Amino acid sequence: MINFPEEDAKILKKHLFLSKAIEQIEEDKAHFEDAPLKINELYVEMLDRMLTTAKDERRELTKTMQDNNLKYVFRDEDRLFTGYEFFSNGKHKEVRYFNPMILKHTKDIVAELMYKYGGGDNMSDPKPPVF
């Protein structure tokens, strides 16, 4: 197998997990919009700010990926693992992620955004995700 550039893999992983976090936040936002809460607009507003930040970061990553000819493609999924193919300037790497690990990275990103826009000093200091 060709040696896949580690820096390219980090960019692809960050984009992948950030996209998963965006999907989760959008799903949560839909639940809050429909929830019979008296102050749900505060939660929806916080989720909107989180989405804006996450989408801006993903847009920058997408541009970096385009500039460096990087992409990833979903390959397969089973109960325990999800597979992707990473591509970088003609180089190729197959990766399989343990599904609970994907969930953990997604939660870490959501916690980081929540800390930034919702919890401030009231939340325990989240550790930034490591990719």
Side-chain angles (χ1 to χ4, degrees), residues 47-71:
L47 292 170
D48 279 337
R49 289 193 309 262
M50 291 168 59
L51 275 171
T52 298
T53 300
K55 287 180 177 180
D56 287 348
E57 184 176 348
R58 185 175 65 178
R59 192 174 301 113
E60 290 174 22
L61 287 168
T62 300
K63 182 176 181 341
T64 300
M65 288 169 58
Q66 290 171 345
D67 291 347
N68 294 301
N69 198 23
L70 305 175
K71 74 175 186 174

Side-chain angles (χ1 to χ4, degrees), residues 1 7 10 49 112 126:
M1 182 167 106
E7 198 57 39
K10 283 184 179 182
R49 289 193 309 262
E112 182 181 1

Side-chain angles (χ1 to χ4, degrees), residues 45-130:
E45 184 180 313
M46 179 186 69
L47 292 170
D48 279 337
R49 289 193 309 262
M50 291 168 59
L51 275 171
T52 298
T53 300
K55 287 180 177 180
D56 287 348
E57 184 176 348
R58 185 175 65 178
R59 192 174 301 113
E60 290 174 22
L61 287 168
T62 300
K63 182 176 181 341
T64 300
M65 288 169 58
Q66 290 171 345
D67 291 347
N68 294 301
N69 198 23
L70 305 175
K71 74 175 186 174
Y72 61 88
V73 177
F74 171 80
R75 186 168 169 188
D76 60 8
E77 181 177 26
D78 60 33
R79 283 183 344 112
L80 294 176
F81 293 93
T82 302
Y84 294 91
E85 293 184 61
F86 287 0
F87 299 93
S88 170
N89 293 314
K91 295 179 182 175
H92 171 261
K93 177 180 181 178
E94 293 181 17
V95 294
R96 292 185 59 74
Y97 292 111
F98 187 49
N99 289 337
M101 193 264 322
I102 293 173
L103 180 62
K104 181 194 177 314
H105 283 310
T106 301
K107 283 182 178 180
D108 289 346
I109 291 170
V110 171
E112 182 181 1
L113 291 164
M114 193 176 285
Y115 180 80
K116 188 184 282 185
Y117 290 106
D121 294 332
N122 297 329
M123 293 181 67
S124 62
D125 191 18
K127 295 177 182 156
V130 177

